[in-house]
Every structure is written in structure tokens, then in C-alpha cells.
Amino acid sequence: MNLIEKGSGLYTDHYELTMAQGYFLSGRHNKPACFDYFFRKIPYQGGFVVFSGLSSLLELLENFRFDQDACIYLASIGFDERFVDFLSRFSFQGDIISVREGEVIFPNEPVLRVEGNILETQLIETVLLNILNFESLIATKACRMRLAAGRRLLLEFGLRRAQGLGGINATKAAISGGFDKTSNVYGAWQFGAESSGTMAHSWIQSFEDELTAFRVYAEHFPDNCILLVDTYNTLKSGVPNAIIVARELKENGHRLIGVRLDSGDLTYLSKQTRKMLDAAGLTEVKIVASNQLDEHIIQSLLAQGAPIDVFGVGTSLVTGKDDPALDGVYKLSWFDGKPSLKVSENKTKMTLPGKKTIHRFLDKENQFYADGISNIGEGTYDYIHHPAEPEKRKQVVNLQKEELMTQVMKNGKTIQPLASPAENAAFTLKRLQQLPEEHKRFLNPHVYKIGISEKLLASRNAVADHVYRKNEF
Amino acid sequence: MNLIEKGSGLYTDHYELTMAQGYFLSGRHNKPACFDYFFRKIPYQGGFVVFSGLSSLLELLENFRFDQDACIYLASIGFDERFVDFLSRFSFQGDIISVREGEVIFPNEPVLRVEGNILETQLIETVLLNILNFESLIATKACRMRLAAGRRLLLEFGLRRAQGLGGINATKAAISGGFDKTSNVYGAWQFGAESSGTMAHSWIQSFEDELTAFRVYAEHFPDNCILLVDTYNTLKSGVPNAIIVARELKENGHRLIGVRLDSGDLTYLSKQTRKMLDAAGLTEVKIVASNQLDEHIIQSLLAQGAPIDVFGVGTSLVTGKDDPALDGVYKLSWFDGKPSLKVSENKTKMTLPGKKTIHRFLDKENQFYADGISNIGEGTYDYIHHPAEPEKRKQVVNLQKEELMTQVMKNGKTIQPLASPAENAAFTLKRLQQLPEEHKRFLNPHVYKIGISEKLLASRNAVADHVYRKNEF
């Protein structure tokens, strides 16, 4: 995320700066505060979200500065000189306590908490939401495709349809969510992934005929050759020509890696192609399929027995097509020694006050059973209550439990090694094995239970009462 | 777009580089070529697209380089040393002929053409598509909201839900599409726009009561104060407190700019708020509304008579929510002296061969009548033919016409001044006045006619015949 080299502090909403100036000029900026990050709705009508973006966020926060150009700009648009002078020396000195990147998370869980003074904790809101919302959105999409594809190879190649520079974040999140390679060379370079790609139709069009186009390509990439076979006619021209070139490669001690289908009925074409390749003794040549794929189409192709070895996915992965934004929010939960909450006429939108942690309860088979949210340090609790309908409760005694949150940043410095996208993917895959199947299915997944401890419930009621009393109407 | 300061050439799909190496090593890289950019499907079930991203693209192409780090990386992942050496000295030296940025465009029109050698014209494919697809997508969305909002103020504030760094491109495109201001300070800085913002609920929560929170804010921003009134109860607490503060500001020679509604029924609340403000003699205080708005909701609110002066739009604008990608493609149309096309079993997907231009025909009222695509230099033509069903034709004699494409880059250098996003917005608004209403409506808009000249039709048939003969099956 070393992309905004100048003025990274400006990568924010204007109101973060007006509020910061307000806190600064009113002398309140050093008062301690705590904010929670959580989301409300699982995208893609799914049953879980993969928490992603933490390492990007920590890296960015360590470098969050207002350089001279940024300060000159802020002064020029009317910010107070004393405040701009303060910003010129600003760096984020707060703490972050978070679930691990790659963790499987659920709605309304405060999975990340920022502590520090009110100015710094407020100022990072926009960039925090921008990164966590988008990387979690795409890692979740990628993970759904991984679940559909099993162990088959998954290639991300969405850069041409990505949302501008968001294609870079998308590549990172795709790898975090379980993709094997990317077409995005810049992304591969930045995130230690492997880049991959073959040829476009234009390569073939630039030759008088398809066979010559294949031969020239194979000559220059004898050990890394995947031939695009749908330029003229997949079964009558593309595959037969690929078979000729595969045999020529074999004679010279190389082998054709694969053929790529990019249009038409992928089930029918992959079955026919497999037969033709096998009949030619080319059982080792893989079939790569692409063209508007998503997790549902991958699942359907495989259910029909399509012999596809590699899936290339673009638009629906990098944009999260059916749900292009995660609705994550950042809410003040504690200020100047006191728990705080945002009331709402809609009880499901009332936030949880105070500094909290999350426990994951596991059943005897070591499968995820439910998550509990409680005040930090309150100890064990026997029941978790539904946050919106607290009369509904669930017993959680005699269950194994894990505490999900640990401190990852202290005084503005990252205190844990940042996991790579590939490490996060491996962790997610392990965790998903503990998530019961019914939460992983695509159609109407079962809702995973989360609840709050009795003490947190009591605290929420008390703070809400106080808020209503102070703001009577 | 000075964001990728190092290794900008790596912001591409891997296959652009393998093809480039193939062209280079086979000694074909200096052969001349021409590619067309066009899209196939209008997003949002709309009737038009606003062409955007041209200035970003030209700026990026002038700086498209493979620096030392990029070259070391490419060599490390197996690219040929001679090719990497060539890349280290590479710059784009081609020409670009394009419709003006901000032009109203339609499906299947080759609105931008790149000429140069096959290597350079191929190599820029990914970055060209990435920029034009996304900026056009969002400028179109923004423009639809502008049509819905009339002359009311439109604020973009989507950065927190934007697709990572794509939020920067989104801000530029939102201004290009007709938005007045943005919350994105970095975007405002880069693109010469005005940034704007007020306060979050957390500001109010950090005070013991709402009135004090409003007063402290007004004290520090007496001339730029918009109060968020929905933290506790909009009509019973927020608006009454805002009225108190507005009167206090007035007594001190200032004025409250506005109040912001961010939840609840915006029609009901805005009507009640307007009444309360007017009854307090505060007719000058504006009403700002936000919360999951899009063009349809803006249209509905105004149809119901909601007295809203300013709309703030986030997620659905910056992600293009219902259609988060434009399907623009880049196809080889001419190679080494000969027109080229991509055949397809689906005739609607067959591309148009050769170097082409676009004429817009206008009726007597100076309204857009139809667009014609023809070979460059072929002169006038009397009919345009439906590209997929060429027996359908339309007479275009005795009509005023405009040629839409002009050269904007020559030998890698921009040869026209780049328009600012605000200038593009003004141009678009002017052009939309020439687009008949039936193409602008949101529900089932009438399809605008585009067609190809008789000579282009004959050329397409001849090239397709040649392709089929050479690749018989």
C-alpha cells in the first residue's frame, strides 16, 4: 500500500479533518477514546465473511502523515494554521486490538478496536473503513469461489474491469481469499504472489492463421504455453491446432501446459476438448476455463462433471459484482473513561458500549458453535443473549472457547509480524473446516449465532438510559 | 493518476507482457497495428454512457515506464533478458484518436482508437481498459443522479465504502459526471475539486448532550456549519437544538449553513424540518439529506415534494452498485496494412474491421438523431445499417452531422489540452440537452440508433470471408 506516497493523510473524508480541528481547538484532542469496527450484513447472501485488510491497514497507519504539500493544501482551503502545524507533526500513536486477519467473522461482532486519543482515533476512520471493507468483501468472494472449486487452480484476472486502482487491493484480497495466481503483475510484485497469463485473441488475429499463431507462441514459450482455442471455432479449429502444436512440443522435449476455453458452453466444450486431448495421448494437457465465471457457475460446471482443471475469474471476483460494498462501520464505544453508544429507534442498530472482546465457543467436534461478545476482563459467562431480542439466550457453559482478539498495534507500532496474503488464505481454509457446512452453503445458509454476555447487556441498558435522560425529548 | 510512482508499466496483465515478448523475440514488434475501445452493454439499464477517463489515460501513458526495480522483477520471474532490456527503454510512442471526454456514447461504437506498433498498442490494453471502464461507469452513474437532482447540490462521499484505492478514481469520475463537491480530500486536491464535510455521530456522542456538541462545533466553524441532527431524535432533539444554535450564530453575525438528515424517512423528516426551520425564521438554512441514496431515490424524494437542497451520495455512486463494471473491450481492428476482425458465432459480437470514425447525425431541432460508423476518409454515406441485422437500414441524408473523433495523442505526446473534470461535466450537460428525453428516462429508455456505412459493411463481410477461408473447418 505504498501507493499514495505524498500526502497520505489526505486520503480521508473532509469531516474527519473538521472534527479533528474542532477537538484540537477546543482542547479536547487528548481525551482517550475507543472505536469499534464491525459490519451488519453479510454480502452475497452468504453465511460468513473473511476478515481481511488488517496488514494493509497497519502498514498504512504506520505511514499516515501530512507532508509539507498536504499541509500547504489544507491551509489553502481554510484549515486553521495552528491545527495544520499540529498535523505537520502528526503520526498515529494509538493501539489496535483485532481478530486475526483471515478469521471467519459474523455480523455485528466488533472485530477490531482502536484505542488512542479522540483526534487520532477519529482521523483514521475513513482509511480504515476503505481498506477493511473492500479487502474483506473481496477475500470473502474469493473464498466462496475456493469452496466451489475445491483444490483446482484459481486465477484472478480482473484488472481490466476492476474499479480503477482498486484492482490492486482486489488482487491482494483475492490471494488472501484463496486464489493461487493473478494476472496483475503489479499486484504480484507488491504482494509476493505469482503472476500468470497467456495470450489474447489479438495475438492470433495478428497471424494469417491460427496454427502459425500457436506455433510462434510455443516456439518462444515452450515450457509455459497455454493456447487460447476459441478465436475461430473451438472444436473444429482451436483444439485440433493445439493438438498439432502439443505433439510438436513433445517431440522437442517440452509439453503443452494447457488450452483455454473463453466462450461458449464450457461444460460441453470442456468435455469434448478433454476427449480430443485424451484421444491424442495428451492426458497431461490441462483445460483452463474463463468467461464471466463466479462461484455459482463454478459449482454448476463441476456438478455437471465438466473436466476443467483451472478457472480464471475476473469481474465478479474483483468487484464483488452482486454486492460491491461491505457495509462496515466504525463507532465510538468508549470516551474519556465512560462507555458510549449510538442509540437508534431501530434496536438492531444500537451499538455496544465499552471495550469488548469476542469468544468463540466450540462443540465437542471442535466445530464453531457460537460467538460471545463481552466486556474485556469480565471473566466467564454462562449465557449469550441475542443483541436485538435479549430475551432469547443460549447456554455456553462447558464449551471449549477461544478468545479471538489480540493486540496488533501498540503506540502506533505494529507488534506482531504481518501475515502474507497466502498465509492468511491457509489460515482461513483451516478455520472454514471448523465452520459447519450449513453456514457455508450458497443457498439460504443457516445463520451463525452470536450473542452478548449478561454484563454487557446490562451495561448497554444502563448507558442507553443515561443517553436518553441527558437528551430528553 | 500519479499514484503508481514506481513501476507503472507493471500495472498490467501478465499476458500483455508475454505477448509483447513474443512479438519482440519473433521480430514482429514494429509492425503497425490499430485497436478499438468500445463497450457492449449500457449499465444501470440506462440509455446512454458518459465517456470518461481520457485525460487520466493520456497522463498515465505519457508516464508509462518500466523502471529499474520493475525490470529486475520481470527478469527474476523469467522474462527474457533482451526483452527486459528493451522494456527498460520503452515508452509509448503511439497515437490516440478519440471522442471528447464527457461525450454521450452508445454501445458498440469504437469511441477510441490506438495506433502504433503491435507491441506498444497491445501493452497498454489493461491499463486503458481499467481506466476507461471505471471512470465511464462512475461518470455515467453520477450523471444519472445529476439528471434526477436538477440544479440541487450533489456531494460525493463514498470513500469509506469505495473499492480500495478505486475511491480516488471514483471521485474524479463523480465530478466529471456532474457532482459539485466531494468528501475525499485527496481527490479534491488531485483533481481541483472542492472538498466538503461536517461531523459524525461520534462528535456528538463525545459530548454529554447534543446541544453542547452543536455549540462547540458552531463556535469553531461559525461560517461553515452543517449540523447532523439524527443522533438522538431528529424532530424532537436534533432540529430544535439546531434552531437554538442557528439563532445564536445569527446574533453573532454568522449563519447556520444547514442541517443534515442521515436516517429515517427523508420525505417526512425533510418536510417537518423545513416547517420548523421556517417557523423559526430560518428560511436560509439548507436541508442536506443522505443515507443509501441513488438516482431512483433522489427522483422519488423530489417527486414527493421533499424540500431537500443538498444530496450526499456514497456507496451506490462510487461503486456503481447495481452494475459495478462497464464491459468495455479493446479489439485489434487493423494489422500490418490490413483490416482485421474477431469473428464470432454470435454475429452481434463480430467486431468492425479497419480504421473507423463516428458521425453523429442531428435533426432540425439540433437533437441527436443517430450515429454512423464508417471507414476513415470514405466520405458521405446515405444509409446506416444495423450492425447485427444489416438488412435494417436508416436514411441519414440531408441531416446535419458532426465528426466525433479527433486526434488527442501523437507519438506518445498529448496534443490537446486536458479538460478538467468540471469542464467535462459542463460539456456533458450541454450534450445531454441534445439527447431526446426518451433516451434519458430511467425506466426502459428508448434505444438510440447506431449503424455502419455501406462501405464498412462490405469491408466487414470481405474480411470475415477471408478469415473463414484461411481458418477453414
Side-chain angles (χ1 to χ4, degrees):
Chain A
M1 294 289 291
N2 59 347
L3 294 161
I4 305 183
E5 309 217 342
K6 296 181 73 160
S8 66
L10 298 187
Y11 188 68
T12 189
D13 284 328
H14 188 98
Y15 86 170
E16 314 290 7
L17 291 165
T18 54
M19 284 188 283
Q21 178 169 318
Y23 287 127
F24 179 77
L25 294 181
S26 59
R28 296 161 55 87
H29 58 293
N30 283 323
K31 288 188 186 285
C34 173
F35 280 85
D36 288 333
Y37 170 76
F38 59 94
F39 71 90
R40 291 194 174 108
K41 186 178 161 290
I42 301 178
Y44 322 125
Q45 304 182 18
F48 65 91
V49 159
V50 175
F51 179 61
S52 196
L54 180 61
S55 59
S56 302
L57 174 67
L58 296 176
E59 208 180 326
L60 198 138
L61 289 183
E62 287 197 339
N63 296 292
F64 192 85
R65 297 285 185 287
F66 295 86
D67 69 7
Q68 201 183 356
D69 288 347
C71 289
I72 290 169
Y73 175 68
L74 290 175
S76 79
I77 60 171
F79 281 94
D80 185 275
E81 270 180 39
R82 292 160 294 174
F83 174 63
V84 172
D85 178 62
F86 168 82
L87 286 184
S88 73
R89 289 171 281 107
F90 176 84
S91 64
F92 179 74
Q93 297 293 320
D95 298 344
I96 296 187
I97 299 91
S98 175
V99 305
R100 190 194 183 300
E101 183 153 17
E103 184 59 272
V104 175
I105 60 170
F106 303 97
N108 299 309
E109 294 183 324
V111 290
L112 182 144
R113 173 170 106 234
V114 180
E115 298 186 16
N117 67 51
I118 182 71
L119 189 152
E120 65 189 347
T121 53
Q122 179 70 64
L123 199 51
I124 66 167
E125 176 186 33
T126 304
V127 70
L128 179 148
L129 289 174
N130 177 267
I131 292 172
L132 297 182
N133 280 340
F134 185 53
E135 285 200 33
S136 297
L137 179 81
I138 301 306
T140 303
K141 191 72 169 173
C143 188
R144 290 165 60 85
M145 293 176 184
R146 170 51 67 207
L147 288 177
R151 291 172 177 276
R152 290 168 190 82
L153 212 63
L154 287 174
L155 313 180
E156 179 269 307
F157 45 58
L159 188 55
R160 62 189 53 203
R161 301 275 168 84
Q163 299 213 331
L165 292 163
I168 298 168
N169 314 76
T171 293
K172 187 172 193 181
I175 304 292
S176 290
F179 268 58
D180 297 289
K181 301 181 188 181
T182 177
S183 70
N184 177 348
V185 183
Y186 185 87
W189 183 38
Q190 291 294 299
F191 310 127
E194 194 177 335
S195 63
S196 143
T198 58
M199 61 176 64
H201 296 116
S202 56
W203 171 273
I204 293 161
Q205 280 175 259
S206 84
F207 291 83
E208 263 299 285
D209 62 84
E210 190 179 47
L211 182 57
T212 309
F214 285 180
R215 279 187 171 135
V216 174
Y217 195 87
E219 183 190 335
H220 293 291
F221 297 96
D223 297 309
N224 190 15
C225 185
I226 297 174
L227 298 170
L228 178 64
V229 293
D230 75 331
T231 305
Y232 302 115
N233 184 304
T234 299
L235 299 178
K236 292 185 180 158
S237 167
V239 175
N241 284 331
I243 287 172
I244 295 170
V245 173
R247 286 175 166 157
E248 292 170 356
L249 278 169
K250 247 184 176 171
E251 283 164 20
N252 294 303
H254 304 286
R255 75 177 186 87
L256 181 67
I257 303 281
V259 296
R260 177 173 159 218
L261 308 171
D262 190 39
S263 58
D265 189 288
L266 295 175
T267 302
Y268 171 74
L269 292 175
S270 63
K271 287 183 178 178
Q272 298 301 316
T273 299
R274 187 72 271 160
K275 274 187 207 162
M276 292 164 76
L277 290 170
D278 290 353
L282 297 164
T283 53
E284 75 282 6
V285 175
K286 306 278 189 214
I287 296 178
V288 183
S290 54
N291 192 22
Q292 310 286 343
L293 299 181
D294 65 17
E295 64 271 41
H296 305 287
I297 298 173
I298 292 172
Q299 195 175 54
S300 161
L301 287 167
L302 295 174
Q304 296 169 71
I308 296 168
D309 305 291
V310 184
F311 293 97
V313 190
T315 314
S316 74
L317 171 61
V318 300
T319 66
K321 193 140 181 153
D322 28 352
D323 258 320
L326 182 69
D327 69 354
V329 293
Y330 185 74
K331 296 290 179 190
L332 184 69
S333 62
W334 185 93
F335 180 71
D336 203 17
K338 289 179 204 151
S340 175
L341 57 65
K342 165 83 178 70
V343 298
S344 174
E345 285 156 69
N346 181 348
K347 212 167 191 176
T348 62
K349 289 189 103 180
M350 185 182 287
T351 64
L352 298 170
K355 299 180 182 180
K356 300 166 294 291
T357 192
I358 306 171
H359 292 95
R360 180 152 295 166
F361 298 95
L362 305 158
D363 67 14
K364 283 170 197 149
E365 282 75 42
N366 212 28
Q367 294 278 294
F368 298 167
Y369 176 75
D371 287 3
I373 306 162
S374 60
N375 303 299
I376 55 170
E378 78 163 65
T380 56
Y381 43 96
D382 294 344
Y383 292 93
I384 55 173
H385 296 257
H386 190 292
E389 300 162 77
E391 62 285 1
K392 289 190 190 165
R393 63 180 197 174
K394 196 178 180 75
Q395 207 174 15
V396 290
V397 291
N398 297 325
L399 290 167
Q400 220 196 119
K401 71 176 174 183
E402 302 168 340
E403 181 150 2
L404 296 190
M405 296 176 78
T406 57
Q407 186 160 3
V408 294
M409 177 170 264
K410 190 177 165 65
N411 301 330
K413 294 276 163 267
T414 301
I415 57 171
Q416 289 195 7
L418 299 180
S420 73
E423 288 164 346
N424 290 330
F427 177 72
T428 301
L429 221 55
K430 222 177 59 189
R431 294 298 271 177
L432 279 174
Q433 287 167 5
Q434 294 181 270
L435 183 67
E437 288 303 325
E438 60 265 29
H439 303 295
K440 286 184 282 198
R441 70 172 180 244
F442 295 157
L443 192 63
N444 294 331
H446 188 43
V447 176
Y448 185 79
K449 301 284 185 300
I450 73 143
I452 61 179
S453 72
E454 195 140 7
K455 284 184 183 159
L456 180 55
L457 178 60
S459 157
R460 188 179 74 175
N461 290 339
V463 179
D465 280 352
H466 177 80
V467 167
Y468 283 121
R469 269 201 313 278
K470 281 283 168 183
N471 297 279
E472 269 180 271
F473 34 78
Chain B
M1 294 289 290
N2 58 347
L3 295 160
I4 304 182
E5 308 216 344
K6 297 182 71 160
S8 64
L10 299 187
Y11 189 67
T12 188
D13 284 328
H14 188 98
Y15 86 170
E16 314 289 6
L17 290 164
T18 56
M19 284 188 283
Q21 177 169 319
Y23 288 127
F24 179 76
L25 293 180
S26 60
R28 296 160 55 87
H29 57 293
N30 283 323
K31 287 186 187 286
C34 173
F35 280 85
D36 288 333
Y37 170 76
F38 60 94
F39 71 90
R40 291 195 173 108
K41 187 178 160 290
I42 301 178
Y44 321 125
Q45 303 182 20
F48 65 91
V49 159
V50 175
F51 179 62
S52 196
L54 180 61
S55 59
S56 303
L57 174 67
L58 296 176
E59 207 179 328
L60 198 138
L61 288 183
E62 287 196 339
N63 296 291
F64 192 85
R65 297 284 186 285
F66 295 85
D67 69 6
Q68 202 183 356
D69 288 348
C71 289
I72 291 170
Y73 175 70
L74 290 175
S76 78
I77 60 170
F79 281 94
D80 185 275
E81 270 180 38
R82 292 160 293 174
F83 174 61
V84 172
D85 178 62
F86 168 82
L87 286 184
S88 72
R89 288 171 281 108
F90 176 84
S91 64
F92 178 74
Q93 297 292 321
D95 298 344
I96 294 186
I97 299 91
S98 175
V99 305
R100 191 195 184 299
E101 184 154 16
E103 184 58 272
V104 175
I105 61 171
F106 303 96
N108 299 309
E109 293 183 323
V111 290
L112 181 144
R113 174 170 105 233
V114 180
E115 299 187 17
N117 66 51
I118 182 72
L119 190 150
E120 65 189 348
T121 52
Q122 179 71 64
L123 199 51
I124 66 166
E125 177 187 31
T126 304
V127 70
L128 179 148
L129 289 174
N130 177 266
I131 292 172
L132 297 182
N133 280 340
F134 186 53
E135 285 199 34
S136 297
L137 179 80
I138 302 306
T140 303
K141 191 73 170 172
C143 187
R144 290 164 60 85
M145 293 175 183
R146 169 52 66 208
L147 288 177
R151 291 171 178 276
R152 290 168 190 82
L153 212 63
L154 287 173
L155 313 180
E156 179 268 307
F157 44 59
L159 188 56
R160 63 189 53 204
R161 301 276 169 83
Q163 298 213 333
L165 292 163
I168 297 170
N169 314 77
T171 293
K172 186 172 191 180
I175 303 293
S176 291
F179 268 58
D180 297 289
K181 301 182 188 182
T182 176
S183 70
N184 177 350
V185 184
Y186 185 86
W189 182 37
Q190 291 293 299
F191 310 128
E194 194 177 335
S195 63
S196 143
T198 58
M199 61 175 65
H201 296 116
S202 57
W203 171 273
I204 293 161
Q205 280 174 259
S206 84
F207 291 83
E208 263 298 285
D209 61 83
E210 191 179 45
L211 182 57
T212 308
F214 284 180
R215 279 187 171 136
V216 174
Y217 196 86
E219 181 190 335
H220 292 291
F221 298 96
D223 297 308
N224 190 16
C225 184
I226 297 175
L227 298 171
L228 179 64
V229 292
D230 74 331
T231 304
Y232 301 116
N233 184 306
T234 300
L235 299 179
K236 291 186 180 158
S237 168
V239 175
N241 284 330
I243 287 172
I244 295 170
V245 172
R247 285 174 168 158
E248 291 170 358
L249 278 169
K250 248 185 177 168
E251 282 164 19
N252 294 302
H254 304 286
R255 76 177 185 85
L256 182 67
I257 303 281
V259 296
R260 177 172 158 217
L261 308 172
D262 190 39
S263 58
D265 189 289
L266 295 175
T267 302
Y268 171 74
L269 292 175
S270 63
K271 286 182 178 177
Q272 297 301 317
T273 299
R274 186 73 271 159
K275 274 187 206 161
M276 291 163 75
L277 290 170
D278 290 352
L282 297 164
T283 53
E284 75 282 8
V285 175
K286 306 278 188 212
I287 296 179
V288 183
S290 55
N291 192 22
Q292 311 286 343
L293 299 181
D294 65 17
E295 65 270 41
H296 304 287
I297 298 173
I298 292 171
Q299 196 174 54
S300 161
L301 287 167
L302 294 174
Q304 295 169 72
I308 295 168
D309 305 291
V310 184
F311 293 97
V313 189
T315 314
S316 74
L317 170 60
V318 299
T319 67
K321 192 140 182 153
D322 29 351
D323 258 320
L326 182 70
D327 70 355
V329 294
Y330 184 75
K331 296 290 179 191
L332 185 69
S333 61
W334 185 94
F335 180 72
D336 201 16
K338 289 178 204 150
S340 175
L341 58 66
K342 166 84 178 70
V343 296
S344 175
E345 285 156 66
N346 182 346
K347 212 165 191 177
T348 61
K349 288 190 102 178
M350 185 183 286
T351 63
L352 298 170
K355 299 180 182 180
K356 301 167 294 290
T357 192
I358 306 171
H359 293 95
R360 179 152 295 167
F361 297 95
L362 304 159
D363 67 14
K364 282 171 197 149
E365 281 76 42
N366 212 27
Q367 295 279 293
F368 298 167
Y369 176 75
D371 286 3
I373 306 163
S374 60
N375 303 298
I376 53 171
E378 77 164 66
T380 55
Y381 43 96
D382 294 344
Y383 292 93
I384 56 173
H385 296 257
H386 190 292
E389 299 163 79
E391 61 283 1
K392 289 189 191 166
R393 63 179 196 176
K394 196 178 180 76
Q395 208 173 15
V396 290
V397 292
N398 297 326
L399 289 168
Q400 219 196 120
K401 72 176 173 183
E402 301 170 339
E403 182 149 2
L404 295 190
M405 297 177 77
T406 57
Q407 185 159 3
V408 292
M409 177 170 264
K410 189 177 165 66
N411 301 330
K413 294 274 163 271
T414 301
I415 57 170
Q416 289 193 7
L418 299 180
S420 74
E423 287 164 346
N424 290 330
F427 177 71
T428 302
L429 221 56
K430 221 177 60 188
R431 295 298 271 176
L432 279 174
Q433 287 168 5
Q434 295 180 270
L435 183 68
E437 288 302 326
E438 59 266 30
H439 303 295
K440 286 185 282 197
R441 69 171 181 245
F442 295 157
L443 191 64
N444 295 329
H446 187 44
V447 176
Y448 184 79
K449 301 283 185 301
I450 73 143
I452 61 178
S453 72
E454 194 140 9
K455 283 183 183 159
L456 180 54
L457 178 61
S459 155
R460 190 179 74 174
N461 290 340
V463 180
D465 281 352
H466 176 79
V467 167
Y468 283 121
R469 269 200 313 279
K470 280 283 167 181
N471 297 279
E472 270 179 90
F473 33 79

